[in-house]
Amino acid sequence: MTETRPLRPETIAAAHGVASDAAFGAIAPPLYLSSTYEFAGFEQPRVYDYGRAGNPTRDLLADALARLEGGGGAVVTASGMAALDLVVSQLPAGAGVIAPHDCYGGTMRLLKAREQLGQLSLQLVDQRDCDAVGAALAGSPDLLLIETPSNPLLRVVDIAALSAQAKAAGAAVAVDNTFLSPALQRPIALGADYVIHSTTKYLNGHSDVIGGAVIAADAGKAERLSHWANVVGCSGSPFDAWLTLRGLRTLFPRMHQQQLSAMVIAQMLDHHPAVSAVHYPGLAAHPDHALAARQQLGFGAMLSFELAGGVDAVKRLIAALRLFTFAESLGGVESLIVHPATMTHADMGDAARHVAGIGAGLLRVSVGLEAEKDLVEDLAAGLAVC
Ligand code: PLP
């Protein structure tokens, strides 16, 4: 692809690196698996010398992600958790970190574990509460971590407002953009310093890769992260990068179709007597609907809902469903349903789950690419036995 003018994000996703192979003119970018590279001569390394430090396939994915997020550079890591930890590892010893009180369970586990080791001081805050954020920022923390929409309750917080507040207090801002991807939300344009992804989810989109990425607004900070990824050895594998780049090609049409189905499903659930609450920012009644409409480029394909019949109803629904597979993870072409309290957020513990509002009757759904009517019929049939 030869570029003569700025390209739209859809084009970057579909075409970054296409037909860039100088050796044979391959349309699909080649997969370079080699772990090491021949030096041109004594003290003459080429562009790449060792696969942990750099790899052409991984770099192509990093460049595509940096362009999509509007960043100065990106690092592709072995998982979303490795991406989060890469950002945290840049902090000085004893640094202050503010994180959402209702973030992904693995994120909370990581931050609490690092706190227990004495490496950081963690404040878990309801980031919808400006006063609570202000009070936490008064302690001059080093990093504000945002996750919006949140996992699993789909709460939305104001990235621009929080970033401005954090900057004024001298804290860097990192946004976990896993739930929406750059197709539907671009945090750097809203003031974030770092965007974090579990590429395992929408960016790859086919549930066959565990991967992550950090995109830094500043090119120098991206360089530093890249250096550090080599130092600790958390770089992603070339094959995973190749698969993720392939998945990225269809990111926009997948997100488009999946969020259309999610809206229909959310509306159906909203009217169902067995359902006591639906959490989907696309619904006009969602408390953060106006903010999501302003901040996001779409409402996404994740939603959660609560069954009036509690955990017994959860068990009956799970057993009755045919199309929604009962499994962790999200963002793939297949629809998945998960019980956060016993699966993704089990490690949080009862007390933290209670504070976050994650109850026993809550189910989280990742809406896939199956026919929307089949999905609605499957859920309706399952809910009939709840
Ligand atoms: N961030 C969010 C919002 C997630 O949902 C997850 C995983 O579910 C992660 C980060 C961690 O990603 P990974 O499983 O690729 O390590």
Side-chain angles (χ1 to χ4, degrees), residues 79-81 84 104 147 151 176 178-179 198 200-201 210-211 330:
S79 69
M81 292 318 305
L84 269 155
Y104 167 58
E147 183 185 296
N151 180 2
D176 186 329
T178 297
F179 262 36
S198 166
T200 311
K201 320 297 185 198
I210 297 286
L330 59 112

Side-chain angles (χ1 to χ4, degrees), residues 214 269 299 345 355:
V214 185
L269 290 170
F299 295 113
H345 292 65
V355 173

Side-chain angles (χ1 to χ4, degrees), residues 91 137 141 214-215 235 238 260 270 315 349 363 368 380:
L91 300 171
L137 284 170
V214 185
I215 299 97
S235 323
L260 288 179
D270 204 28
K315 288 180 194 164
L363 285 162

Side-chain angles (χ1 to χ4, degrees), residues 109-344:
R109 180 175 55 197
L110 168 71
L111 296 174
K112 281 188 169 167
R114 291 225 171 271
E115 185 181 45
Q116 272 160 19
L117 289 173
Q119 294 167 349
L120 54 84
S121 157
L122 178 64
Q123 294 187 80
L124 296 169
V125 176
D126 182 346
Q127 297 183 354
R128 294 166 304 169
D129 180 345
C130 275
D131 293 342
V133 175
L137 284 170
S140 301
D142 297 80
L143 178 72
L144 173 70
L145 175 66
I146 297 172
E147 183 185 296
T148 179
S150 67
N151 180 2
L153 285 162
L154 282 297
R155 291 173 181 145
V156 179
V157 295
D158 192 328
I159 298 173
L162 285 168
S163 297
Q165 237 181 315
K167 296 281 169 61
V173 176
V175 177
D176 186 329
N177 201 21
T178 297
F179 262 36
L180 290 176
S181 89
L184 299 182
Q185 180 166 269
R186 316 229 169 92
I188 287 174
L190 301 171
D193 299 294
Y194 301 101
V195 175
I196 293 166
H197 279 284
S198 166
T199 59
T200 311
K201 320 297 185 198
Y202 287 104
L203 291 172
N204 177 56
H206 294 74
S207 302
D208 48 14
V209 163
I210 297 286
V214 185
I215 299 97
D218 176 72
K221 291 203 172 98
E223 271 298 311
R224 195 167 153 231
L225 287 171
S226 199
H227 168 76
W228 201 246
N230 179 38
V231 170
V232 299
C234 67
S235 323
S237 92
F239 186 47
D240 286 350
W242 187 83
L243 280 173
T244 305
L245 191 62
R246 184 163 117 146
L248 190 68
R249 303 301 184 209
T250 56
L251 173 69
F252 281 80
R254 279 188 282 110
M255 286 307 279
H256 176 70
Q257 185 53 48
Q258 288 174 229
Q259 70 173 349
L260 288 179
S261 299
M263 178 65 103
V264 173
I265 289 168
Q267 285 165 342
M268 183 277 265
L269 290 170
D270 204 28
H271 291 108
H272 202 285
V275 176
S276 54
V278 181
H279 309 289
Y280 183 62
L283 293 177
H286 187 282
D288 307 321
H289 175 72
L291 172 59
R294 192 173 78 235
Q295 174 167 275
Q296 303 173 189
L297 301 162
F299 295 113
M302 295 301 300
L303 59 94
S304 56
F305 61 98
E306 289 167 46
L307 289 176
V311 76
D312 291 334
V314 165
K315 288 180 194 164
R316 285 196 292 276
L317 178 64
I318 298 301
L321 291 173
R322 295 287 166 266
L323 286 179
F324 289 85
T325 305
F326 187 44
E328 295 187 353
S329 203
L330 59 112
V333 294
E334 65 293 305
S335 293
L336 300 179
I337 190 162
V338 71
H339 185 238
T342 56
M343 297 164 77
T344 50

